[in-house]
């Protein structure tokens, strides 16, 4: 590197003197560590926070230039390596906060006696003992990889492909699409009515939304059947808790008691249910076609945490409000012999159901939280 320095001196009698000096600055080279396999050359360049990377292979010589923090602080660093034997011109590299990893492919898969064309290695070059292998060890590693590939192909050939896989995915896609459309209609309808009518929309929610909610919740029974017949790999019990619990609220509490249909709690139950499902069903729908949207995945595995407990709380309020109605109407009460009393009130069954409801909340919350933790861990591994 050459720099030109000019010195100008002024005298009293308008005499000037200009001195020009050409100074050659030494080229800064980073520490480079290398290792090889039969088909690849691995270089580890000790350069932190590297930027403006310029790495290429020309005439079988690797040229490296970059800015970063090396042995001489923050500076421009460069080096070149004349390889012993021909290499491919394509170079792959990956930069981290601490170093730059460079991989160069050999033209022929064979072991080199040394890295560079000149017998005397450069001062900045040293073996990478973290990746270093002798020729015999490298051959064993290569052989192990080949055996692994052969075993993988053999296992895949023995696994019988499901001839109905496309049909199953098509059914699951359509099921989730229909449920998504149904709950989206409910959510949009309730939201629009809330903006237009305000609190008045709370009291006629059932008469406006009930038919579509009946349809969606009857369809939801398939979520218990699907894992039972092996269409999806998920637990039967958590799905059954949710489907049975919602259908008790919808058909028994709201559907059979006209006194409950005009209460505001119906609005909150339906709205919380639909808010959860408009993110859950499209996630499963896209999973059928092997598509993953990061935002949708995060919403599916996160938004239930506040909404699911709120939904169970709203359901519990609905059950509590229905107890005096069942006591008064004696609906679903079981007549008993005179010796035992007049009848067995259905409200007593609902009180037991209230306890089971919160037990189911604990079981399902733990199940969903474990699902979320596994999913987020797998995403982090893919990103790394």
């Amino acid at each position: 590197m050459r720099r030109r320095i000019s010195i100008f001196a002024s005298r009293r009698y308008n005499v000037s003197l200009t001195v020009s000096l050409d100074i050659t600055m030494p080229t800064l080279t980073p520490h480079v560590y290398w290792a090889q396999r039969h088909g690849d050359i691995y270089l580890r360049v000790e350069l932190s926070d590297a930027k403006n990377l310029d790495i290429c292979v020309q005439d079988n010589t690797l040229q490296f230039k970059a800015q970063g923090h090396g042995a001489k602080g923050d500076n421009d660093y460069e080096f070149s390596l004349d390889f012993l034997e021909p290499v491919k011109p394509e170079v792959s590299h990956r930069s981290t906060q601490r170093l730059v990893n460079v991989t160069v492919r050999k033209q022929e898969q064979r072991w080199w006696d040394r890295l560079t064309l000149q017998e005397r290695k450069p001062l900045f070059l040293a073996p990478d003992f973290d990746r270093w292998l002798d020729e015999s060890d490298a051959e064993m590693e290569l052989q192990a990889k080949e055996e692994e590939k052969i075993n993988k192909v053999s296992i895949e050939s023995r696994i019988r492909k499901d001839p109905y896989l496309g049909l199953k995915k098509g059914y699951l896609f359509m099921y989730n699409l229909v449920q998504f459309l149904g709950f989206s209609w409910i959510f949009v309808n309730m939201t629009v009515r809330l903006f237009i009518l305000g609190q008045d929309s709370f009291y006629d929610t059932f008469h406006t939304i009930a038919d579509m909610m009946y349809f969606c919740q009857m369809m939801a029974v398939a979520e218990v059947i699907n894992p039972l017949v092996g269409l999806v790999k998920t637990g039967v019990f958590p799905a059954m808790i949710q489907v049975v619990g919602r259908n008790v609220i919808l058909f028994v509490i709201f559907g059979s008691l006209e006194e409950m249909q005009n209460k505001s709690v119906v609005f909150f139950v339906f709205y919380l249910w639909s808010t959860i499902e408009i993110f859950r069903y499209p996630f499963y729908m896209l999973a059928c076609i092997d598509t993953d949207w990061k935002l949708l995945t995060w919403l599916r595995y996160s938004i239930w945490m506040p909404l699911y407990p709120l939904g169970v709380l709203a359901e519990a309020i609905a059950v509590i409000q229905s107890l005096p109605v069942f006591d008064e109407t004696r609906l679903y009460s079981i007549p008993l012999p005179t010796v035992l009393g007049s009848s067995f009130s259905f409200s007593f069954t609902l009180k037991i159901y209230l306890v089971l409801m919160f037990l189911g909340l604990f079981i399902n919350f733990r199940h969903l939280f474990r699902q979320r933790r596994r999913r987020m861990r797998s995403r982090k591994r893919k990103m790394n």
Side-chain angles (χ1 to χ4, degrees):
M1 183 183 296
R2 301 178 66 88
R3 292 188 180 177
R4 187 178 186 87
I5 301 177
S6 297
I7 303 174
F8 176 78
S10 177
R11 296 295 184 182
R12 184 177 180 180
Y13 300 104
N14 296 326
V15 178
S16 63
L17 174 65
T18 302
V19 180
S20 297
L21 302 175
D22 285 334
I23 300 176
T24 301
M25 303 296 291
T27 300
L28 298 179
T29 56
H31 295 303
V32 182
Y33 300 89
W34 78 283
Q36 68 169 317
R37 297 295 185 269
H38 285 81
D40 300 294
I41 297 294
Y42 303 117
L43 300 175
R44 175 164 56 89
V45 184
E46 294 291 325
L47 200 60
S48 305
D49 300 320
K51 57 185 179 180
N52 299 331
L53 291 164
D54 184 8
I55 308 172
C56 63
V57 172
Q58 294 180 349
D59 298 328
N60 214 50
T61 300
L62 175 72
Q63 303 285 347
F64 179 98
K65 294 181 181 179
Q67 294 177 341
H69 185 85
K72 300 296 183 180
D74 290 325
N75 274 299
D76 294 336
Y77 291 85
E78 60 181 87
F79 68 88
S80 62
L81 290 172
D82 296 324
F83 291 116
L84 177 65
E85 296 189 16
V87 297
K88 296 181 179 180
E90 297 83 11
V91 180
S92 61
H93 64 87
R94 185 170 64 91
S95 178
T96 67
Q97 290 183 346
R98 295 180 55 193
L99 50 87
V100 180
N101 288 313
V102 181
T103 303
V104 181
R105 304 299 302 273
K106 298 178 181 178
Q107 285 282 10
E108 297 181 6
Q109 290 204 0
R110 53 177 296 178
W111 198 258
W112 292 2
D113 294 332
R114 60 180 186 272
L115 178 64
T116 58
L117 186 62
Q118 61 272 26
E119 292 186 8
R120 185 179 179 182
K121 71 177 183 63
L123 295 176
F124 61 84
L125 187 65
D128 185 355
F129 290 108
D130 291 337
R131 305 189 70 169
W132 192 267
L133 288 179
D134 294 330
E135 183 177 4
S136 57
D137 295 332
E139 287 178 353
M140 291 177 63
E141 182 187 66
L142 185 62
Q143 184 178 359
K145 288 182 179 180
E146 292 295 330
E147 289 177 356
E148 184 179 353
K149 288 181 181 179
I150 293 172
N151 291 334
K152 185 177 180 180
V153 172
S154 177
I155 291 171
E156 289 177 352
S157 63
R158 287 199 302 267
I159 296 175
R160 184 180 177 184
K161 292 184 178 180
D162 188 354
Y164 303 106
L165 182 61
L167 187 62
K168 291 177 181 178
K169 284 191 173 184
Y171 155 73
L172 292 173
F173 181 87
M174 290 304 301
Y175 167 77
N176 288 293
L177 175 61
V178 170
Q179 288 288 70
F180 169 64
L181 294 175
F183 279 105
S184 295
W185 183 90
I186 293 171
F187 179 82
V188 172
N189 191 302
M190 294 180 68
T191 302
V192 171
R193 287 173 54 81
L194 178 63
F195 277 104
I196 295 175
L197 303 177
Q199 293 186 3
D200 292 340
S201 66
F202 291 175
Y203 306 103
D204 64 346
T205 297
F206 184 85
H207 302 288
T208 308
I209 305 297
D211 290 340
M212 182 60 72
M213 188 61 78
Y214 280 143
F215 172 78
C216 290
Q217 283 306 124
M218 286 189 291
M219 287 276 292
V221 176
E223 295 181 27
V224 180
I225 300 173
N226 290 341
L228 278 174
V229 298
L231 286 174
V232 294
K233 295 179 181 179
T234 186
V236 178
F237 191 58
M240 187 170 63
I241 290 175
Q242 177 171 306
V243 172
V244 172
R246 285 187 178 183
N247 284 346
V248 167
I249 299 298
L250 177 62
F251 290 97
V252 178
I253 304 298
F254 296 152
S256 60
L257 296 178
E258 291 186 8
E259 295 86 346
M260 291 296 299
Q261 294 172 5
N262 296 322
K263 292 185 178 293
S264 60
V265 69
V266 179
F267 174 88
F268 293 103
V269 170
F270 285 5
Y271 204 71
L272 288 166
W273 286 358
S274 61
T275 306
I276 293 173
E277 304 303 11
I278 60 174
F279 297 109
R280 188 168 72 96
Y281 284 116
F283 170 80
Y284 288 130
M285 182 177 67
L286 294 178
C288 295
I289 55 175
D290 301 321
T291 301
D292 182 19
W293 290 355
K294 292 181 180 180
L295 178 59
L296 181 60
T297 300
W298 185 87
L299 287 170
R300 184 265 176 270
Y301 284 102
S302 302
I303 202 169
W304 62 267
M305 288 192 287
L307 296 184
Y308 184 56
L310 288 174
V312 174
L313 180 62
E315 294 171 18
I317 293 172
V319 172
I320 293 171
Q321 290 181 349
S322 71
L323 293 178
V325 181
F326 278 110
D327 285 335
E328 181 181 350
T329 60
R330 314 303 296 175
L331 185 65
Y332 301 133
S333 295
I334 302 174
L336 296 175
T338 308
V339 179
L340 299 176
S342 59
S343 63
F344 180 80
S345 176
F346 185 67
S347 63
F348 180 76
T349 305
L350 289 179
K351 292 174 184 177
I352 298 175
Y353 176 73
L354 271 175
V355 177
L356 297 177
M357 181 186 297
F358 286 98
L359 179 61
L361 168 64
F362 171 75
I363 294 172
N364 257 10
F365 196 94
R366 186 177 62 175
H367 168 73
L368 292 170
F369 186 78
R370 286 176 176 174
Q371 273 190 337
R372 183 182 190 277
R373 187 169 55 185
R374 285 196 300 268
R375 181 73 183 191
M376 295 306 170
R377 280 179 180 174
S378 64
R379 284 190 66 189
K380 285 182 180 179
R381 291 194 198 101
K382 290 178 181 178
M383 289 174 66
N384 293 333

